Amino acid sequence: MTTHHENKNAVKVGVIGLGTVGQGFVRLFLRESSLVAQRLGFPLELGAVCDRNPEALAALKVPSGCRKTAEAREILSDPEIPLVVELMGGLEPARTFILEAISAGKSVVTANKALLAHHGEEVFGAVARHGVDLGFEASVGGGIPILRTLRESLAGDRILKVSGIINGTCNYILSSMSRDRVDFGTALKEAQRLGYAEADPTFDIDGIDSAHKISILAAMAFGSPVSLSSVPVEGIRHIQPIDLDFGREFGYVLKLLGIASDQGETIDVRVHPCFLPEETSMLAEVDGVFNAIELLGEALGPLLLFGRGAGGDPTATAVMGDVMECARGISHGSRGQVPALGFPFALRVPRPLCALDSISSEYYLRFMAHDQPGTLSYLSGVLGERGISIESVIQKGRQKGGSVPVVVTTHRATESRVREALSIIDSSPHVTEKTVVIRIESAPMEGALS
Amino acid sequence: MTTHHENKNAVKVGVIGLGTVGQGFVRLFLRESSLVAQRLGFPLELGAVCDRNPEALAALKVPSGCRKTAEAREILSDPEIPLVVELMGGLEPARTFILEAISAGKSVVTANKALLAHHGEEVFGAVARHGVDLGFEASVGGGIPILRTLRESLAGDRILKVSGIINGTCNYILSSMSRDRVDFGTALKEAQRLGYAEADPTFDIDGIDSAHKISILAAMAFGSPVSLSSVPVEGIRHIQPIDLDFGREFGYVLKLLGIASDQGETIDVRVHPCFLPEETSMLAEVDGVFNAIELLGEALGPLLLFGRGAGGDPTATAVMGDVMECARGISHGSRGQVPALGFPFALRVPRPLCALDSISSEYYLRFMAHDQPGTLSYLSGVLGERGISIESVIQKGRQKGGSVPVVVTTHRATESRVREALSIIDSSPHVTEKTVVIRIESAPMEGALS
């Protein structure tokens, strides 16, 4: 490991995990080695690559000086390798490997959002104690440089809100449900066929992956630890085409969003499907597997970053940017200078997450009501008594004796009041099914779009 | 000036120039001083502010320890101030002040795009020689963190193209011409009334400001000096409503773009109005005074950054981010670690700009032709002989004896061939006016938008 400012010796990098992102990273690393050396003023060298799958290991082309191994500890214990790239994913053994690398004084770059969301406190604490660097730009938004933007570019402004489409699988499924008017199951199967959804899609479609990412974004934006288990999460499995259709009539598009906002004493962090106004929301226009993240800074106003949120090659660019920054720290002897989370670990001010009950929002409510006189009056009465004011109503498809959808959008109301009203309505004889509730996010970018 | 890693002493900042951005910066600096100290782990202190206008100086509220002066040299010669923020704008005396600050070993933050576009080589050379830092994020795109993204986040990928709407004045004027169907003069007057255009708007509407910015972006993206005088620049003064109308019929929106792309041996840098496909171009949707910049990375694919490109507060956030980074370098003794342009000054590989004649593009051509048989056949004949293939034609508004517009869009063709064809056509008896030529930019973000 070199610590002199003028030392132009190569910095050796070890890579653990040769899946899609790992392979993309090694490819980019080797292809752009001279560009990288030109930019850094010193070269990087691939010291070793590791994967437990012998075929992945054998298939990868690496330079003659690069060791191939199935044992991560060969990299972790190699004093010649000061920089470890962890791209294996999952909680264990990734957590153990990363902590070992940090303890050994190595800087680490990872794309592992699950690990950081679950064990961030442990990992960032170790990073601070050992004075190394941890790069994790690739953990949120693939190639979109959202973390460096929060950590450095906007470091001098107060971030009021971060929200975004941060799971391409869900966005692909919702986009096709809306475009092709198919149901969730059909859209999921198509996404699986095209490789946009895993065989077991739970992680994505139930919002867990988005929850990991918004937790990381919130921690960086607000300088507070975020307890993943306190983040309310709702996925897209239950979304029905009828609600996409009604939404369209109101001018709304449905997206799964991660949302984090500064509420003063608390922070509001959540993941759920949202209706967005098609005309004024930039996020509403983001289609297919793309990701987009919107920031709202007190002085800055709105900022949107939009690009490829997944895939080996785009994600590899984020890993590479972090590797170069960590390598600079190693080569110049200035590791640990920029705190990984944008706030020094010990100077953060923990704030609790606010309860979902206490948030306020506009709401889309679809009641399935008996088609009889007085129903709308009953519904609006229950809502009105709780201070929930109706913005618009659609009632359609009268059919004798059956139940009909009555769709209401509300002005801003408190979640607890809405829940209270619905618990009364849903146990009344006026409705035949549990009411569908979808929150509406108004757009901070208003005026920016034609 | 402190150089020890553990020194928690304040870093003193001097500000020269208290116009809109300068005032916005001082306001943000004072408002967020505790957030900034928390993030940095040490405080910043406003050491001195300078403006030649005594009223601006008197009006600004500053803490008691902060000196007010009309003499920039009081700041430049103060050994207690290691960090100078230049927000006066213009070429001189800003150039002299910045060079003096650098020679005195101070780091500098500036928003001065004109200065960097004209005297970048001199300034960046001095920065490299003296081992200080120069932050200039605020010089392009206001609060949009485009420079840090190019310099660090995408440092490991090959940038193929950077293009964007980087002048809010022009975008506001073109947006209102299109929306309200008014002519250029009317839209300009309205923009001036609202404060979106200067009393003397030349700099903006003739594309000069955009040329400054795209030169800086190109220099950072491609690691080559860019000679401003070689950048072809065309403004929006001559844009006529009739072309916006025809463009709309083809599904195009007109925007003033700065475009820079890697052409191998050369780089292509230019500023001119462009038609963008409304359906598939993200930039086409950017309205009013907002800015947006699109990057195309070889591994990354497309990335779009969108936000407020001007104004005191948004621009101040970019200045603040740079000030914090420079302050870290000062406090930790690690100045000069990240080269200002993303490439070490001495390791850049100069590439010439390619001549406008050699570019290829799709084109919108509006001929004003005599309304007589054989005209279209003549026009398409001249184009066809030069290998320019027509994509679509609109001919309308027949009027006896007068001239009528014949509008043609072409497939990709070489600029020199198009110019050759037009010089023949424009000197022929078939047309009554000089042909209007507008380049069409196809969208790299295709597939990303609904």
Side-chain angles (χ1 to χ4, degrees):
Chain A
M1 210 177 319
T2 66
T3 49
H4 299 296
H5 194 289
E6 290 308 314
N7 195 318
K8 301 297 184 207
N9 285 347
V11 171
K12 279 196 185 177
V13 177
V15 182
I16 303 176
L18 299 174
T20 311
V21 177
Q23 289 173 35
F25 171 68
V26 170
R27 243 187 347 255
L28 182 64
F29 187 101
L30 298 176
R31 188 173 73 213
E32 300 300 356
S33 59
S34 63
L35 173 70
V36 166
Q38 185 195 1
R39 280 186 175 271
L40 287 175
F42 58 87
L44 300 184
E45 200 182 306
L46 203 59
V49 295
C50 166
D51 200 291
R52 282 202 273 188
N53 174 351
E55 283 161 32
L57 208 54
L60 194 75
K61 277 194 190 171
V62 294
S64 57
C66 170
R67 200 161 67 250
K68 289 183 171 185
T69 173
E71 288 304 322
R73 293 223 159 73
E74 279 197 35
I75 292 177
L76 302 173
S77 64
D78 185 343
E80 298 291 307
I81 296 178
L83 178 43
V84 173
V85 178
E86 182 276 307
L87 298 170
M88 60 193 306
L91 298 183
E92 283 294 355
R95 174 182 152 276
T96 304
F97 289 169
I98 285 181
L99 291 172
E100 281 186 27
I102 295 167
S103 300
K106 301 181 194 301
S107 289
V108 172
V109 175
T110 178
N112 197 329
K113 55 240 173 196
L115 177 68
L116 296 178
H118 281 281
H119 301 296
E121 286 303 292
E122 187 180 16
V123 171
F124 292 115
V127 164
R129 266 198 319 282
H130 292 277
V132 297
D133 289 319
L134 179 76
F136 52 107
E137 180 67 80
S139 66
V140 181
I144 300 173
I146 180 66
L147 300 189
R148 191 173 274 99
T149 294
L150 280 171
R151 197 186 62 194
E152 294 179 51
S153 302
L154 307 185
D157 192 17
R158 194 160 294 271
I159 304 299
L160 305 176
K161 186 174 178 182
V162 184
S163 58
I165 296 167
I166 45 183
N167 183 280
T169 304
C170 287
N171 204 48
Y172 181 85
I173 291 172
L174 292 174
S175 295
S176 24
M177 284 178 72
S178 175
R179 188 187 55 239
D180 306 334
R181 309 203 166 199
V182 295
D183 66 13
F184 173 78
T186 309
L188 171 61
K189 272 193 203 106
E190 176 69 2
Q192 286 172 320
R193 196 182 64 78
L194 293 169
Y196 296 147
E198 308 274 344
D200 177 0
T202 311
F203 223 59
D204 293 311
I205 65 178
D206 288 345
I208 302 163
D209 175 72
S210 296
H212 292 157
K213 292 168 177 168
I214 196 69
S215 301
I216 294 171
L217 289 171
M220 293 202 65
F222 306 124
S224 165
V226 171
S227 155
L228 182 64
S229 58
S230 310
V231 176
V233 181
E234 188 188 319
I236 62 167
R237 214 185 267 270
H238 61 291
I239 295 297
Q240 297 174 48
I242 182 176
D243 295 306
L244 299 184
D245 290 342
F246 277 117
R248 193 178 294 115
E249 291 194 41
F250 288 113
Y252 293 130
V253 177
L254 193 76
K255 297 289 179 189
L256 181 73
L257 292 194
I259 303 174
S261 62
D262 186 338
Q263 302 291 325
E265 300 294 300
T266 61
I267 48 184
D268 176 14
V269 185
R270 46 196 157 103
V271 172
H272 52 71
C274 281
F275 274 127
L276 301 172
E278 192 160 23
E279 283 295 304
T280 54
S281 165
M282 199 85 178
L283 291 178
E285 311 216 21
V286 176
D287 226 19
V289 293
F290 275 73
N291 277 200
I293 297 151
E294 216 171 81
L295 302 176
L296 187 64
E298 191 169 24
L300 174 68
L303 175 72
L304 183 108
L305 283 75
F306 175 103
R308 293 215 174 115
D313 285 350
T315 308
T317 65
V319 175
M320 198 68 216
D322 281 350
V323 163
M324 291 172 73
E325 187 172 354
C326 288
R328 268 203 190 98
I330 292 163
S331 180
H332 298 230
S334 61
R335 288 174 309 163
Q337 186 169 309
V338 182
L341 283 163
F343 291 85
F345 190 74
L347 294 183
R348 294 175 308 156
V349 179
R351 283 189 275 175
L353 299 201
C354 71
L356 191 57
D357 257 5
S358 68
I359 71 159
S360 78
S361 177
E362 297 161 40
Y363 292 85
Y364 162 101
L365 307 173
R366 175 167 59 80
F367 304 100
M368 291 305 291
H370 287 297
D371 188 10
Q372 59 195 23
T375 300
L376 189 56
S377 146
Y378 166 76
L379 296 174
S380 52
V382 176
L383 294 172
E385 281 159 25
R386 274 144 203 93
I388 302 159
S389 139
I390 290 179
E391 202 235 332
S392 52
V393 180
I394 296 179
Q395 183 171 353
K396 277 197 188 173
R398 313 211 131 254
Q399 52 183 105
K400 267 190 191 143
S403 68
V404 294
V406 178
V407 181
V408 161
T409 62
T410 75
H411 290 291
R412 192 160 281 278
T414 308
E415 178 96 4
S416 61
R417 294 298 185 89
V418 172
R419 294 285 165 196
E420 194 183 306
L422 295 188
S423 80
I424 292 168
I425 291 169
D426 284 355
S427 57
S428 83
H430 293 272
V431 299
T432 59
E433 292 175 23
K434 194 167 182 304
T435 301
V436 169
V437 185
I438 299 175
R439 295 177 197 90
I440 300 167
E441 275 286 298
S442 41
M445 301 284 261
E446 216 161 322
L449 288 186
S450 54
Chain B
M1 208 176 320
T2 65
T3 49
H4 298 295
H5 194 287
E6 291 307 315
N7 195 319
K8 302 297 185 208
N9 286 347
V11 170
K12 279 196 185 176
V13 177
V15 182
I16 305 176
L18 299 174
T20 312
V21 177
Q23 288 173 37
F25 171 68
V26 170
R27 243 186 348 256
L28 182 64
F29 187 101
L30 298 175
R31 186 173 74 212
E32 300 300 355
S33 60
S34 64
L35 172 70
V36 167
Q38 186 195 359
R39 279 186 175 271
L40 287 175
F42 59 88
L44 300 183
E45 200 181 305
L46 204 58
V49 295
C50 166
D51 199 292
R52 283 201 274 188
N53 174 353
E55 284 160 33
L57 208 54
L60 193 76
K61 277 193 189 170
V62 296
S64 57
C66 171
R67 200 160 70 250
K68 288 182 173 186
T69 174
E71 289 303 324
R73 293 225 158 71
E74 278 197 35
I75 292 178
L76 300 174
S77 64
D78 186 341
E80 297 291 307
I81 296 178
L83 178 45
V84 173
V85 178
E86 181 276 308
L87 298 170
M88 60 193 306
L91 297 184
E92 282 295 354
R95 174 182 151 277
T96 304
F97 290 170
I98 285 182
L99 290 172
E100 281 186 27
I102 293 168
S103 299
K106 300 181 195 304
S107 289
V108 172
V109 176
T110 178
N112 197 328
K113 55 239 171 195
L115 177 68
L116 295 179
H118 281 280
H119 301 295
E121 287 303 292
E122 188 180 15
V123 171
F124 291 116
V127 165
R129 266 198 319 282
H130 292 276
V132 298
D133 288 319
L134 178 77
F136 52 107
E137 181 67 80
S139 66
V140 181
I144 300 174
I146 179 66
L147 300 189
R148 191 173 274 99
T149 294
L150 280 171
R151 197 186 63 194
E152 293 180 51
S153 302
L154 306 186
D157 192 17
R158 194 161 293 271
I159 304 299
L160 305 176
K161 185 174 180 183
V162 185
S163 59
I165 296 168
I166 46 184
N167 183 280
T169 304
C170 288
N171 204 48
Y172 181 85
I173 291 173
L174 291 175
S175 296
S176 21
M177 285 179 72
S178 176
R179 187 187 54 239
D180 307 335
R181 308 203 167 199
V182 296
D183 66 13
F184 174 78
T186 309
L188 171 61
K189 272 193 203 104
E190 176 69 2
Q192 286 171 321
R193 196 182 64 78
L194 294 169
Y196 296 148
E198 307 275 342
D200 176 2
T202 311
F203 224 59
D204 292 312
I205 65 177
D206 288 345
I208 303 163
D209 176 72
S210 295
H212 293 157
K213 292 167 178 168
I214 196 68
S215 301
I216 294 171
L217 289 172
M220 293 202 65
F222 306 125
S224 165
V226 172
S227 156
L228 182 63
S229 58
S230 310
V231 176
V233 181
E234 187 188 320
I236 62 166
R237 215 185 266 271
H238 61 291
I239 296 296
Q240 297 175 48
I242 182 177
D243 295 307
L244 298 183
D245 290 342
F246 277 117
R248 194 178 294 115
E249 291 194 41
F250 289 114
Y252 294 130
V253 178
L254 193 76
K255 298 288 179 190
L256 182 73
L257 292 194
I259 303 174
S261 62
D262 186 339
Q263 302 291 326
E265 300 294 303
T266 62
I267 49 184
D268 176 16
V269 186
R270 46 194 159 104
V271 172
H272 52 72
C274 282
F275 274 127
L276 301 173
E278 192 160 23
E279 283 294 304
T280 53
S281 164
M282 198 86 178
L283 292 178
E285 313 216 18
V286 175
D287 228 18
V289 294
F290 275 73
N291 278 200
I293 297 152
E294 215 172 83
L295 303 175
L296 187 64
E298 191 169 23
L300 174 68
L303 176 72
L304 184 110
L305 283 75
F306 176 104
R308 293 215 174 114
D313 284 349
T315 308
T317 64
V319 176
M320 198 67 216
D322 280 351
V323 163
M324 291 172 73
E325 187 173 353
C326 288
R328 267 203 191 101
I330 292 162
S331 180
H332 298 232
S334 61
R335 288 174 310 165
Q337 188 168 309
V338 183
L341 283 164
F343 291 85
F345 189 74
L347 295 184
R348 294 176 307 157
V349 179
R351 282 188 276 174
L353 300 201
C354 72
L356 191 56
D357 257 5
S358 68
I359 70 158
S360 78
S361 178
E362 295 161 42
Y363 292 85
Y364 162 101
L365 307 173
R366 175 167 59 81
F367 305 100
M368 290 306 289
H370 286 299
D371 188 9
Q372 58 195 23
T375 300
L376 188 58
S377 146
Y378 166 76
L379 296 174
S380 52
V382 176
L383 293 172
E385 280 158 25
R386 274 143 203 92
I388 301 159
S389 137
I390 292 179
E391 203 234 333
S392 52
V393 180
I394 296 180
Q395 184 172 352
K396 277 196 188 174
R398 314 211 130 252
Q399 53 183 105
K400 267 191 191 142
S403 69
V404 293
V406 178
V407 181
V408 161
T409 62
T410 75
H411 289 291
R412 191 160 281 278
T414 308
E415 179 97 4
S416 60
R417 295 297 184 90
V418 171
R419 293 287 164 196
E420 194 184 305
L422 295 188
S423 80
I424 293 169
I425 291 169
D426 284 355
S427 58
S428 82
H430 293 272
V431 300
T432 59
E433 290 175 25
K434 195 168 181 305
T435 300
V436 169
V437 185
I438 298 175
R439 295 178 199 91
I440 300 167
E441 275 284 299
S442 40
M445 300 285 262
E446 216 162 321
L449 288 186
S450 53

